[in-house]
Amino acid sequence: MMKTVFIRTFGCQMNVHDSEKMLGVLQKDGYFETHDPRKADLIIFNTCGIRQKAEQKFYSELGKTKSYKKRRPEMKVAVAGCIAQHEGGNLFTRAPYVDFVFGPQNIHMLHDIVSRRNRSLALEDNPDIAKEDLPVKRGDEVKAWVTIMYGCNNYCSYCVVPYTRGRERSRSSENICAEIKELAEQGYKEITLLGQNVNSYRSDINFPGLLRRLERVGGIERIRFVTSHPGDLSDELMDAIAELTKVCEHIHLPLQSGSNNVLRLMNRRYTYEEYMKKVLRLRDKVQGIAITSDIIAGFPGETEEDHIHTVKALKEIEFDGIFAFKFSSRPGTRAEEMKGHLSKEVKSERLQQILEIQEEITEKKNRSLEGTTHEILIEGESVTDKGKLTGRTRTNKIVNIPKVESEKGTVLHVEITRGRQHSLEGKVIKE
Ligand code: SAH
Ligand code: SF4
Ligand code: F3S
């Protein structure tokens, strides 16, 4: 009998990729994906608890399934991901129409979980049982994600990830290479290595060693990785990025704050000066590298002066782009207990300032690319303009070009004709 599943994903790339794994497992079980939750036999919410906003959005969408289930009582509702791991059985009390709750370490058990008639809870707490060889139903035919490490040991004081994803575990390099070779055979051109703290990867080899090994996989043209912790950015890694031709010239390197007081409170374990030194070395070793970052506005105890340090840092470093967020107090974290929580207004005001400054910088940087040439990997039609093709530079910038006879997955040489706030325009110079 044909069964259908609707998966709603919140949160980071890791979660998006976990949803691909869930679909892979369920497909083996005879499920088909549907995009209409009302018609699904199974609804899965793959949740994120990083900020309150993501959490609220999930709960409001979860609420709607109550009425779907009234109409179709045979429908099953599952909550997965980071909120599931954190809340566990409380979810059954809060939303009695939920049937299954399972954590990020339990995707390999999905077959068993969804075939149960009764409510069930699966929250693995043994960090060694991160099952790896799961079937994956990938959302794209050119770019693929590959998880290389799970969990995080950093315990930044604001963050729930160490509690929801558990301790750091690295996959074996053999296993990773095998997966990537298979992807190459299937025609994938770009892979993104995933980990909350991707550059602290360590098995029989370290992260630069892994990059060197992956460089040799034929067929793969681009290798990316997210997210890097500044503390684990070694000279050896910088050299690997510089030397290896497939490893792209882009690093996402969250700074979080430009104030050493705040960085200490955040438990980030580096000072602004140390961070800056690494940025300069990176730019020196890797010509044209793009550096992007995350910033948190209004951490507890952040003074106006601390905030000004962040603003100054943005101006000094000139990131290619940032994600900036208002501090959101998360249950169970150390920051929740700290003194000096700021009002919504102060946080919003500081965030706004940060975004405005970065907007100017991004636009300036993009404009400075006009006239330069880049390799772009074609991702398909532009979503905003059907007459155009869209691709990304090795530095991860989006370029739209007038349509040419070119398939998704080909690499084109383009000249940038215009730099805008969120994208670049270009024209083909050589195929
Ligand atoms: N492992 C990555 C990303 C973690 S989540 C890293 O270490 O950088 C992505 C971003 O969300 C973080 O970099 C941080 O800027 C932001 N974030 C995490 N917890 C937050 C919180 N409680 N409030 C606001 N932003 C938060
Ligand atoms: Fe969270 Fe810090 Fe780990 Fe990133 S490094 S996942 S911000 S605890
Ligand atoms: Fe969110 Fe969990 Fe990712 S909390 S950001 S989905 S690791």
Side-chain angles (χ1 to χ4, degrees):
M1 195 185 67
M2 198 180 99
K3 292 170 285 185
T4 56
V5 55
F6 172 85
I7 301 193
R8 171 74 165 99
T9 309
F10 300 84
C12 63
Q13 279 151 319
M14 203 99 44
N15 250 20
V16 177
H17 185 43
D18 280 352
S19 290
E20 292 183 336
K21 294 180 193 167
M22 291 180 204
L23 267 180
V25 174
L26 289 171
Q27 208 174 30
K28 275 209 156 171
D29 234 9
Y31 278 89
F32 289 83
E33 190 180 11
T34 169
H35 296 285
D36 184 351
R38 286 164 301 188
K39 292 193 181 130
D41 298 304
L42 172 65
I43 294 182
I44 301 179
F45 289 97
N46 192 8
T47 61
C48 170
I50 201 88
R51 283 170 292 273
Q52 212 183 358
K53 230 180 178 173
E55 189 173 310
Q56 281 164 349
K57 214 160 163 209
F58 152 63
Y59 280 114
S60 98
E61 287 186 29
L62 177 67
K64 289 183 201 152
T65 57
K66 193 177 171 185
S67 67
Y68 304 159
K69 248 186 118 155
K70 242 189 206 135
R71 255 172 276 148
R72 295 185 46 227
E74 71 280 12
M75 174 189 267
K76 298 283 185 196
V77 176
V79 181
C82 290
I83 296 177
Q85 186 69 38
H86 204 253
E87 290 297 322
N90 295 342
L91 278 158
F92 296 129
T93 324
R94 181 162 181 167
Y97 45 91
V98 170
D99 299 283
F100 313 122
V101 173
F102 61 98
Q105 276 94 263
N106 300 83
I107 300 172
H108 62 286
M109 301 162 61
L110 197 50
H111 164 81
D112 284 341
I113 297 168
V114 300
S115 51
R116 289 180 202 157
R117 286 174 160 263
N118 302 325
R119 257 187 189 175
S120 72
L121 178 69
L123 303 171
E124 197 65 73
D125 58 1
N126 180 351
D128 295 327
I129 316 180
K131 288 281 156 55
E132 296 172 352
D133 297 311
L134 296 175
V136 185
K137 170 82 171 62
R138 297 184 187 269
D140 195 87
E141 312 91 65
V142 173
K143 306 201 293 181
W145 283 307
V146 176
T147 312
I148 65 161
M149 54 95 64
Y150 303 87
C152 183
N153 288 347
N154 281 323
Y155 288 96
C156 302
S157 61
Y158 49 81
C159 184
V160 292
V161 171
Y163 308 99
T164 63
R165 297 273 164 164
R167 301 291 68 71
E168 266 180 39
R169 288 96 62 207
S170 290
R171 277 179 74 183
S172 78
S173 57
E174 212 177 307
N175 216 306
I176 296 168
C177 288
E179 181 173 346
I180 292 172
K181 276 186 193 141
E182 204 181 306
L183 288 169
E185 276 160 25
Q186 290 164 6
Y188 283 90
K189 300 287 177 226
E190 179 178 307
I191 51 155
T192 302
L193 307 175
L194 293 180
Q196 284 300 349
N197 194 3
V198 76
N199 54 340
S200 80
Y201 173 86
R202 182 166 284 280
S203 60
D204 55 323
I205 48 177
N206 64 6
F207 186 58
L210 181 68
L211 292 178
R212 286 182 194 281
R213 206 170 281 180
L214 296 178
E215 171 87 1
R216 298 200 294 267
V217 179
I220 297 296
E221 294 187 22
R222 289 179 167 190
I223 301 171
R224 301 186 185 279
F225 52 92
V226 278
T227 292
S228 303
H229 192 284
D232 295 304
L233 176 56
S234 61
D235 270 12
E236 193 190 350
L237 175 54
M238 295 186 203
D239 291 334
I241 303 171
E243 285 163 33
L244 301 174
T245 57
K246 293 180 182 175
V247 175
C248 290
E249 295 75 30
H250 169 232
I251 190 164
H252 187 63
L253 195 66
L255 170 65
Q256 312 297 3
S257 168
S259 153
N260 288 337
N261 293 334
V262 175
L263 287 171
R264 201 175 320 111
L265 289 171
M266 287 177 165
N267 192 32
R268 288 293 286 180
R269 290 191 284 241
Y270 52 82
T271 61
Y272 174 63
E273 292 72 25
E274 285 162 351
Y275 182 95
M276 191 62 201
K277 220 163 119 188
K278 291 197 177 181
V279 165
L280 294 176
R281 283 176 82 75
L282 250 181
R283 285 182 172 157
D284 184 47
K285 284 176 188 274
V286 190
Q287 276 306 303
I289 191 169
I291 306 178
T292 54
S293 208
D294 293 344
I295 300 285
I296 297 177
F299 189 80
E302 183 188 81
T303 61
E304 188 57 35
E305 204 188 329
D306 292 323
H307 169 63
I308 291 168
H309 278 300
T310 299
V311 169
K312 275 197 191 141
L314 293 175
K315 289 182 180 165
E316 186 174 35
I317 297 171
E318 299 201 309
F319 289 114
D320 290 81
I322 61 165
F323 296 108
F325 316 95
K326 268 185 277 192
F327 168 76
S328 171
S329 189
R330 305 315 291 136
T333 61
R334 271 194 290 143
E336 188 194 22
E337 310 291 325
M338 285 180 188
K339 287 191 292 251
H341 281 251
L342 301 172
S343 69
K344 222 161 111 192
E345 289 70 30
V346 171
K347 288 192 276 187
S348 298
E349 201 180 305
R350 290 183 185 172
L351 175 67
Q352 202 49 41
Q353 262 178 32
I354 286 167
L355 291 173
E356 275 167 27
I357 286 153
Q358 184 57 41
E359 233 164 70
E360 267 174 47
I361 297 169
T362 308
E363 199 168 336
K364 187 179 91 182
K365 286 211 139 187
N366 284 348
R367 272 206 312 269
S368 75
L369 293 174
E370 290 173 5
T372 60
T373 59
H374 292 264
E375 249 179 56
I376 64 168
L377 180 75
I378 297 299
E379 294 183 0
E381 259 182 5
S382 154
V383 246
T384 43
D385 184 349
K386 294 280 176 229
K388 289 197 166 158
L389 287 179
T390 196
R392 271 172 204 265
T393 62
R394 292 174 57 94
T395 51
N396 209 31
K397 293 178 194 273
I398 296 171
V399 184
N400 293 311
I401 57 165
K403 237 180 202 164
V404 286
E405 281 294 315
S406 213
E407 279 178 34
K408 198 172 161 173
T410 48
V411 172
L412 298 177
H413 290 261
V414 298
E415 182 187 318
I416 305 304
T417 51
R418 187 140 178 226
R420 296 176 180 276
Q421 176 58 242
H422 299 288
S423 64
L424 305 166
E425 282 172 32
K427 61 174 190 221
V428 177
I429 50 172
K430 185 173 98 201
E431 282 193 30

